[in-house]
Amino acid sequence: MEPERKRSGSTLKKGRKRRLIPSKVVGAAEATRSHWDLEERQQPVAKKARLSTVLFAENCEVTHGQLSELLKYAVLGKSSFPKPSWCQLFHQNHLKNVVVFILQGLSQLHFYKFYLEFGFLRKAFKHKFRMPPPSSDFLADIIGLQKKQIIGNLPKAMEGSLPFASSKVSINLQKDPIIQKYGSKKVGLTRCLLTKEEMKTYHFPLQGFLDCENFVPTKCNGSVTDNSPLFGLDCEMCLTSKGRELTRISLVAEGGCCVMDELVKPDNKIVDYLTSFSGITKKILNPVTTKLKDVQRRLKILLPPDAVLVGHSLDLDLRALKMIHPYVIDTSLLYVREQGKRFKLKFLAKAILGKDIQCPDRLGHDATEDARTTLELARYFLKYGPKKIAELNLEALFSYQESQEPRNTAEGVQRLNTSVLECLDSVGQKLLFLTQEADASALSSSKNCQTIKCLSNKEVLEQARVEIPLFPFSIVQFSFEPFSPNLTEEMNKRIKIKWTEMSTVYAGPFNKNCNLSALKRLFKSFGPVQLMTLVLETHQVQRPVTELTLDCDTLVNELEQDSENRGTIYLSGVSETFKEHLLQHCSIFLGLEAMILPKDLKSGKQKGYCFLRFKTFGSAQRALNILTGKDWKLRGRHALTPRHLHAWLRGLPRESRLPGVRVIPPPSEQEAWQMLNVDHPKIAAWHWGRKIEKLYHNLCPGTLCLILLPGTKSTHGSLSGLGLMGIKDEEESTIPQTCVCESAHHLPGVIS
């Protein structure tokens, strides 16, 4: 965004080494990011800003913190703020305004329940993503406001490990997340190990997983006890043409002795040494001959069978090593925080151990120092127990430390935990917040925010037409009455059954002696088959006809027209050599942006289908004609399911109701709709979709627009949110490289 006055010449400090919330990074997507950077350096000045979202997370979920990254970058740009970690905003300085519409009370479930009614939203916004259920203040999370906490009479500076903090602050230990997870008594080493389920949740490399087929196991399969040896591990990485690769490894034994400290030469061309994090430069790495396989071989020799590895965000280190190890303690998870957040290693070192690491006057991080620090943190936890940690009140110490750092100055604004409000203030701009009187958010009382409270959604809409053009950054919040828990549960169940039935085909007639194996091979040539049941009475090929699938043909047609699907095709019958064959003939497939190759979760083998994404619908159609022709002999069609929908659809029940069963909405659903003092939800969805469309058309070209359905969270359960975004009058994407994504998930409902 163009500032109203000249920006400060100073720059923000570099981002932290690792994210607070783990995200599974696909190598090809990381390679694409390097080309994004290269493109911005080589291209002449563009006339329009544009977005690209090769999402790193396999489930296309974007956290509230990652969303905040984009909003802050949209305000200040790359000269003052790190680029977002999950998408790319090209030519940010040509961005005119930012407008965020929040549909409070709605979720991803509501969007797909009323998919046909939200016609404008699904067609206008190419970029869609899932969001986790909201916290108590969704707005504060996406704006980056730091939650204020009552921290009592804390000292004016943090000295040592601050063991006296507990005596100054009244703390409810039972509510501390560390006590809730580990209890108040001391625990042994084995209690601190991550379980296999936790390792899966936090994307640790595991045997049998699709993206770990070339990983090397450490062969540590002995029986772990509370006396097993601990080893601190830390790795530094650089960015190569294939993604992040190892450049340094440090392994520290429990006594503090460094048993391995090696520089490593990556296998691929280095595009960024990431010197500010790693301390590695071209000069340092030039004479190095050690390769990744040498490090893997040494680790297998060094580590005893019952070795326990300790690290901070250890999943990233193991992925850099391309190794699998079953026994790990991750200090970013050991010192647990609320809502999935994590403390930085630098903060824990100061608050717990009283030591300063990762000092700003030093070039990059010291891997040995970081490895030794994680080991000391694990030993401290085992020695003093959860209760001692909880009494330190780490959340309060963290908030206190934040409050002591400079604010409203060039240095203060350039910190990663800066809010959008502070970013705007640094360039002399204010944020507009339109909402209803009843809505309570820390944003409405924040400095540098022009809040206008209205009596109804209608008044919010009227004010938005007048006020949005006057502000460079606007948040417009509409509030909708949430459905009852019973109604929400019923909606969830019905829509899942509907998607299952849409993915079901009845074919016949077949006699009792027909070859089921041959039939299954025939159906599998169109795509993966979850379940096949022989039905002798059916005399045609069709989907089940039920009350839930009466609009199936219309829905399939609209899914194909979804802006996210417009340039994507689905192909079945592809072999393991298809990728190489396609890349050899890429010159005839103009506009190819990405190739998505799903793999089986258990075997890790490539499935017999794939997705190809093109810049335009025309390019996709031409490719489809070629690939389904006589030379390639593949089956295919335009894709139907957007990527962000896959994780949600994975939870579908396998069974489907028999055709002809009539489903009547339960009385609770009918009564709930009658009791709501609003239109029927379907009508309301259509109505407000049209209202937002009119607001969108009034925005000036070059406006970054986000539509956020935050999701819901209550004692009855949670619903994930959905985000849609785009830049008005955005140019066609021109990313010059094809991205190959090898993915594990099955994409249901792609063949009609």
Side-chain angles (χ1 to χ4, degrees):
M1 285 164 54
E2 291 290 352
E4 293 179 2
R5 58 181 166 90
K6 188 174 181 180
R7 297 179 184 174
S8 169
S10 55
T11 59
L12 276 170
K13 294 177 183 177
K14 289 286 185 178
R16 53 182 169 264
K17 178 183 173 184
R18 298 184 178 98
R19 300 182 210 168
L20 293 179
I21 299 178
S23 178
K24 181 177 176 183
V25 178
V26 180
E30 279 281 18
T32 303
R33 283 183 62 81
S34 68
H35 278 258
W36 286 339
D37 295 338
L38 186 61
E39 181 186 6
E40 283 210 329
R41 292 195 296 268
Q42 293 178 345
Q43 261 193 333
V45 176
K47 294 182 180 179
K48 294 183 180 180
R50 59 184 175 83
L51 281 165
S52 178
T53 52
V54 179
L55 296 178
F56 294 165
E58 186 175 331
N59 62 0
C60 288
E61 182 172 279
V62 175
T63 66
H64 304 147
Q66 289 173 325
L67 195 55
S68 181
E69 288 176 7
L70 172 63
L71 296 178
K72 287 181 274 192
Y73 182 76
V75 176
L76 290 182
K78 66 179 181 181
S79 63
S80 301
F81 208 88
K83 295 180 180 181
S85 60
W86 59 281
C87 70
Q88 185 75 345
L89 174 57
F90 288 107
H91 314 300
Q92 171 273 344
N93 59 321
H94 290 276
L95 201 63
K96 301 302 181 184
N97 297 308
V98 178
V99 178
V100 182
F101 294 106
I102 298 177
L103 309 184
Q104 192 67 37
L106 300 188
S107 66
Q108 186 177 18
L109 171 65
H110 295 85
F111 183 81
Y112 283 101
K113 171 67 176 177
F114 305 118
Y115 183 79
L116 295 179
E117 285 67 40
F118 284 122
F120 167 73
L121 298 185
R122 55 186 163 81
K123 291 180 180 178
F125 294 93
K126 181 180 179 181
H127 310 291
K128 304 182 181 73
F129 50 88
R130 296 175 70 243
M131 294 188 296
S135 65
S136 57
D137 198 337
F138 171 75
L139 269 173
D141 290 342
I142 66 169
I143 294 299
L145 292 178
Q146 301 295 313
K147 292 182 173 60
K148 307 300 180 184
Q149 298 189 21
I150 299 175
I151 57 175
N153 300 317
L154 285 173
K156 293 184 178 181
M158 294 209 310
E159 298 178 359
S161 60
L162 295 177
F164 49 81
S166 60
S167 63
K168 304 292 183 181
V169 186
S170 177
I171 313 169
N172 186 346
L173 293 182
Q174 296 308 312
K175 291 186 177 181
D176 191 287
I178 292 180
I179 298 295
Q180 290 180 347
K181 180 173 182 179
Y182 297 103
S184 57
K185 296 181 179 180
K186 291 183 182 181
V187 296
L189 182 152
T190 53
R191 178 67 179 85
C192 298
L193 296 175
L194 289 183
T195 65
K196 189 172 182 179
E197 281 303 312
E198 288 175 321
M199 293 178 74
K200 181 178 178 182
T201 298
Y202 295 108
H203 306 293
F204 276 77
L206 293 170
Q207 287 276 24
F209 274 54
L210 69 114
D211 58 340
C212 304
E213 57 181 3
N214 297 320
F215 282 39
V216 177
T218 58
K219 301 298 183 183
C220 295
N221 50 14
S223 179
V224 174
T225 68
D226 288 343
N227 296 317
S228 292
L230 300 176
F231 291 85
L233 174 69
D234 187 68
C235 296
E236 302 297 342
M237 284 79 86
C238 70
L239 190 63
T240 73
S241 58
K242 296 295 184 182
R244 292 184 183 272
E245 292 191 47
L246 183 71
T247 53
R248 182 183 176 185
I249 174 177
S250 290
L251 187 72
V252 177
E254 195 163 355
C257 175
C258 182
V259 295
M260 185 178 184
D261 186 15
E262 288 280 352
L263 292 171
V264 185
K265 179 71 70 72
D267 294 327
N268 299 287
K269 182 180 178 181
I270 298 174
V271 296
D272 190 341
Y273 285 85
L274 302 177
T275 306
S276 59
F277 300 135
S278 65
I280 306 295
T281 62
K282 182 178 181 179
K283 183 178 180 181
I284 292 174
L285 212 55
N286 264 345
V288 175
T289 58
T290 303
K291 306 293 279 187
L292 177 62
K293 61 182 180 181
D294 302 319
V295 171
Q296 292 171 335
R297 191 182 304 115
R298 281 196 62 191
L299 277 175
K300 290 171 69 174
I301 296 172
L302 280 172
L303 295 175
D306 61 341
V308 176
L309 291 180
V310 182
H312 200 79
S313 294
L314 190 57
D315 56 304
L316 301 180
D317 298 312
L318 289 173
R319 287 190 176 278
L321 287 166
K322 292 189 176 180
M323 297 193 77
I324 296 172
H325 187 79
Y327 313 124
V328 298
I329 294 176
D330 192 322
T331 51
S332 71
L333 300 169
L334 184 67
Y335 289 85
V336 62
R337 295 182 70 186
E338 294 177 346
Q339 301 173 356
K341 299 177 182 178
R342 303 195 195 186
F343 291 116
K344 299 177 187 177
L345 180 62
K346 180 180 176 70
F347 167 76
L348 289 176
K350 181 66 174 176
I352 303 295
L353 307 173
K355 60 189 287 188
D356 292 303
I357 64 170
Q358 301 173 2
C359 299
D361 57 345
R362 209 163 49 196
L363 183 63
H365 298 171
D366 184 332
T368 301
E369 179 184 59
D370 288 356
R372 188 174 286 118
T373 300
T374 61
L375 195 57
E376 291 175 12
L377 286 170
R379 293 171 62 193
Y380 187 98
F381 193 97
L382 292 170
K383 181 178 180 179
Y384 293 104
K387 185 178 179 182
K388 177 70 172 180
I389 308 298
E391 288 173 347
L392 292 177
N393 200 0
L394 293 177
E395 286 290 350
L397 292 176
F398 182 76
S399 296
Y400 173 78
Q401 184 188 52
E402 297 287 291
S403 69
Q404 298 306 296
E405 295 181 6
R407 292 184 180 273
N408 297 321
T409 66
E411 181 183 355
V413 170
Q414 292 166 354
R415 290 178 291 107
L416 284 178
N417 57 3
T418 298
S419 71
V420 172
L421 291 172
E422 290 170 306
C423 292
L424 287 167
D425 187 50
S426 72
V427 291
Q429 297 174 345
K430 293 188 79 171
L431 182 146
L432 169 67
F433 180 38
L434 288 168
T435 186
Q436 290 193 37
E437 288 280 1
D439 293 329
S441 172
L443 178 61
S444 60
S445 58
S446 298
K447 181 185 176 183
N448 202 42
C449 176
Q450 178 67 48
T451 301
I452 301 177
K453 292 199 172 184
C454 306
L455 297 176
S456 64
N457 282 337
K458 184 178 180 181
E459 188 179 342
V460 171
L461 183 70
E462 292 170 351
Q463 289 286 342
R465 291 195 187 103
V466 177
E467 299 291 342
I468 285 178
L470 306 178
F471 289 83
F473 197 114
S474 305
I475 295 179
V476 181
Q477 179 167 274
F478 299 103
S479 298
F480 298 95
E481 188 74 23
F483 293 158
S484 68
N486 289 339
L487 175 55
T488 300
E489 183 181 355
E490 183 64 25
M491 281 174 57
N492 201 22
K493 183 169 64 176
R494 286 161 63 86
I495 199 168
K496 286 189 173 185
I497 291 175
K498 178 173 184 173
W499 281 97
T500 303
E501 292 180 349
M502 284 178 60
S503 302
T504 302
V505 173
Y506 291 90
F510 302 112
N511 61 50
K512 295 181 179 179
N513 299 320
C514 68
N515 189 327
L516 287 179
S517 297
L519 271 178
K520 192 164 188 177
R521 283 196 301 271
L522 173 63
F523 282 111
K524 286 183 70 174
S525 68
F526 292 93
V529 177
Q530 285 191 345
L531 181 67
M532 191 173 80
T533 304
L534 191 62
V535 180
L536 302 178
E537 292 79 10
T538 304
H539 291 272
Q540 55 187 326
V541 177
Q542 66 178 59
R543 286 189 175 91
V545 179
T546 72
E547 178 258 348
L548 293 178
T549 60
L550 291 177
D551 62 352
C552 180
D553 291 340
T554 302
L555 184 55
V556 167
N557 181 63
E558 293 300 322
L559 280 167
E560 192 170 344
Q561 298 302 313
D562 190 297
S563 59
E564 195 170 351
N565 293 329
R566 286 278 292 169
T568 304
I569 62 174
Y570 166 85
L571 295 171
S572 179
V574 301
S575 65
E576 291 188 358
T577 60
F578 173 75
K579 177 174 69 175
E580 289 73 19
H581 189 41
L582 182 77
L583 294 177
Q584 288 172 3
H585 297 81
C586 62
S587 59
I588 64 175
F589 299 107
L590 299 178
L592 178 61
E593 285 186 332
M595 182 191 310
I596 302 169
L597 300 166
K599 289 188 176 183
D600 186 85
L601 282 171
K602 293 182 179 178
S603 66
K605 293 182 179 179
Q606 181 181 316
K607 292 189 175 182
Y609 65 94
C610 76
F611 292 82
L612 302 181
R613 190 171 74 187
F614 293 84
K615 295 175 188 174
T616 65
F617 178 81
S619 298
Q621 182 62 59
R622 285 191 292 273
L624 186 60
N625 293 338
I626 295 171
L627 292 166
T628 55
K630 61 180 181 180
D631 293 332
W632 292 74
K633 298 179 181 179
L634 298 173
R635 300 180 187 271
R637 61 154 299 141
H638 291 283
L640 295 180
T641 48
R643 288 186 65 201
H644 67 272
L645 193 57
H646 304 156
W648 190 41
L649 295 182
R650 271 201 294 258
L652 294 179
R654 286 177 178 265
E655 66 278 4
S656 178
R657 296 193 310 254
L658 292 174
V661 176
R662 182 165 176 257
V663 180
I664 302 174
S668 59
E669 180 176 344
Q670 294 177 348
E671 291 169 4
W673 283 348
Q674 291 170 2
M675 289 173 64
L676 287 175
N677 189 25
V678 293
D679 293 329
H680 188 287
K682 182 176 288 191
I683 298 173
W686 176 85
H687 175 78
W688 283 101
R690 292 293 301 274
K691 296 293 185 185
I692 293 173
E693 178 181 3
K694 291 180 180 179
L695 279 178
Y696 179 81
H697 288 316
N698 287 332
L699 300 178
C700 66
T703 296
L704 172 62
C705 183
L706 290 91
I707 311 289
L708 304 180
L709 288 67
T712 61
K713 191 170 186 178
S714 69
T715 55
H716 302 285
S718 301
L719 294 176
S720 58
L722 180 71
L724 306 91
M725 68 178 183
I727 297 174
K728 190 178 179 186
D729 298 338
E730 182 178 358
E731 288 182 327
E732 285 286 350
S733 176
T734 55
I735 294 177
Q737 179 188 359
T738 298
C739 172
V740 181
C741 301
E742 298 189 345
S743 168
H745 46 256
H746 169 216
L747 313 181
V750 291
I751 282 290
S752 65

